Amino acid sequence: MTDAAPAQYKGPQRVFSGMQPTNGLHLGNYLGALKNWVALQEKFAECIYCVVDLHAITLEPDPQTLAARSREVAAAYIAAGVDPKKSIVFVQSAVREHTELTWVFNCVARMGWVERMTQFKDKAGKHEERVSVGLFDYPVLMAADVLVYKATHVPVGEDQKQHLELARDIAQKFNNDFNTPDFFPLPEPLIQGPGARIMSLRDGSKKMSKSDPSDMTRINMVDDADTILQKIKKATTDPNPLPESAEGLKGRPEVENLVGIYAATAGKTADEVLKEFGGKGFGVFKPALADVLASQLGPIAAEMRRLNADPGALDAILRDGAERAQAIAAPIMAEVRDVVGFWR
Ligand code: TYM
């Protein structure tokens, strides 16, 4: 595995990230990724935020709802604070260079590298022989997403770390194989803060996920204040009061998770949260947590509803985003074609 920052890479700094348009987004998506995306707009001149619908068809495609869900996820980005004038917001399948570069990367990545991906093993479960080739190839498409823009920074949750290591390996091998040092940057994962790994409200060893059959395990971005309170009240904890410092969270994963959620939502560290709540019981902490969540998610959900009521306006934003994305990707893909030696 490569570990150096993209030190020699001389190109512009660029942020890229994406989310799948599957079901609704949840608190893990928001605190692990989206909230950081919004902040990064202040630090980077170019941020590209994609709705990854090509990834969404790797498991149970649903042509009836896919386009609508892509719009909804774009609405969530914007409602959370992504500014579509400053940042590029678009749907992956609208920019064909993603799939074109994936093919080239399929011929760079090694089977052994992709076979090691734990998310594939988790998603395929016992049915490895019967899942789509696309599900296996998922992380190679993800590498192409990032590198077709020569993006240097990728803000994601902890669960995407291994995929980004693969993207760095693919970039490095492409640069070596085609004798084009520094053609692709080695993209840097930005996995930040207490929100990077939000766990299930019912089981501190499982990540919060849209695929969990129980809705009580997660807070959805569109949950209202009442639902949030009910879910937080029923979240698994233990009978002891909160510890005085983050050190005391060891061995209490469910408590650590709730404190992490509070910290990430309020923009504090776990220690700061525990300075306020250390020694107090969950009867005090849980309603305070539900309150912080509802006051942050409430306005976002209201804005999502407003945006979703006007699909035409969303489509105009997404078309403009796709054009701007393609204006970056097309010349890079043309360079790749030359490097690989395709006829032209
Ligand atoms: P997806 O759609 O599963 O998740 C979107 C983002 O949310 C983060 N996330 C979490 N963070 C903290 N705690 C959780 N419980 C949690 N659950 C999800 C994910 O880490 C992710 O950042 N493969 C990606 C989408 C993708 C992509 C890319 C990302 C496609 N191409 C290129 C970056 C760059 C995915 O499945 O995300």
Side-chain angles (χ1 to χ4, degrees):
M1 294 278 161
T2 46
D3 56 18
Q8 308 116 305
Y9 180 73
K10 306 250 171 12
Q13 305 245 302
R14 204 169 265 154
V15 170
F16 181 95
S17 199
M19 290 195 192
Q20 293 191 69
T22 34
N23 296 331
L25 300 184
H26 57 75
L27 190 63
N29 301 130
Y30 177 64
L31 296 178
L34 190 46
K35 199 171 170 179
N36 296 332
W37 296 6
V38 174
L40 288 168
Q41 296 179 114
E42 306 303 320
K43 297 200 191 121
F44 288 84
E46 283 186 286
C47 297
I48 307 174
Y49 298 130
C50 181
V51 179
V52 295
D53 60 344
L54 297 172
H55 281 102
I57 66 164
T58 57
L59 273 174
E60 299 170 25
D62 182 0
Q64 257 69 50
T65 60
L66 184 57
R69 279 190 280 125
S70 291
R71 265 187 221 106
E72 277 167 26
V73 169
Y77 293 0
I78 297 165
V82 169
D83 175 354
K85 292 208 180 69
K86 192 169 192 289
S87 300
I88 297 177
V89 177
F90 76 107
V91 179
Q92 186 187 29
S93 61
V95 179
R96 288 164 203 229
E97 283 77 2
H98 289 246
T99 39
E100 191 178 353
L101 185 57
T102 300
W103 181 255
V104 175
F105 282 176
N106 278 338
C107 304
V108 173
R110 303 291 95 177
M111 284 295 289
W113 299 359
V114 185
E115 273 166 0
R116 277 201 292 276
M117 296 295 116
T118 55
Q119 201 164 82
F120 172 73
K121 290 183 198 157
D122 290 347
K123 284 191 180 170
K126 295 191 192 90
H127 311 289
E128 240 180 65
E129 298 298 313
R130 282 191 307 184
V131 296
S132 70
V133 176
L135 187 69
F136 182 73
D137 204 32
Y138 180 113
V140 180
L141 173 59
M142 192 167 150
D145 293 339
V146 173
L147 292 165
V148 82
Y149 302 97
K150 296 191 176 181
T152 51
H153 295 82
V154 187
V156 283
E158 177 79 36
D159 62 340
Q160 298 301 316
K161 191 168 177 220
Q162 195 188 31
H163 288 162
L164 287 171
E165 280 162 7
L166 179 76
R168 290 166 65 94
D169 288 341
I170 291 174
Q172 182 74 73
K173 189 167 184 346
F174 180 99
N175 291 350
N176 292 345
D177 286 1
F178 293 100
N179 202 15
T180 48
D182 307 325
F183 181 85
F184 284 122
L186 308 188
E188 190 76 33
L190 300 176
I191 300 171
Q192 281 162 338
R197 194 169 161 73
I198 302 295
M199 310 309 282
S200 155
L201 297 178
R202 293 305 181 91
D203 178 350
S205 68
K206 281 207 261 170
K207 72 170 182 177
M208 186 178 284
S209 148
K210 34 196 162 198
S211 55
D212 195 302
S214 165
D215 198 52
M216 294 304 284
T217 61
R218 64 184 159 258
I219 305 283
N220 302 304
M221 281 184 72
V222 294
D223 283 347
D224 61 21
D226 240 24
T227 311
I228 293 175
L229 182 62
Q230 291 317 314
K231 287 180 175 176
I232 294 292
K233 272 191 176 164
K234 295 211 168 106
T236 309
T237 45
D238 56 41
N240 301 318
L242 284 134
E244 303 287 341
S245 72
E247 193 61 20
L249 293 169
K250 287 210 180 97
R252 299 174 73 186
E254 284 86 8
V255 180
E256 185 175 18
N257 187 39
L258 294 186
V259 171
I261 291 175
Y262 193 114
T265 309
K268 294 183 172 172
T269 64
D271 275 319
E272 283 165 351
V273 174
L274 293 170
K275 214 175 253 165
E276 195 180 338
F277 291 100
K280 296 194 174 134
F282 289 97
V284 174
F285 181 67
K286 281 182 164 179
L289 172 58
D291 226 34
V292 165
L293 282 171
S295 60
Q296 191 150 132
L297 294 181
I300 298 176
E303 182 62 5
M304 278 165 74
R305 278 194 294 277
R306 195 187 68 75
L307 291 164
N308 282 320
D310 190 352
L314 279 171
D315 284 342
I317 290 173
L318 292 172
R319 261 194 301 275
D320 171 65
E323 261 172 43
R324 286 154 64 204
Q326 195 165 37
I328 302 173
I332 292 174
M333 195 59 223
E335 277 184 285
V336 171
R337 295 177 63 93
D338 281 349
V339 167
V340 174
F342 287 138
W343 171 86
R344 71 180 165 109

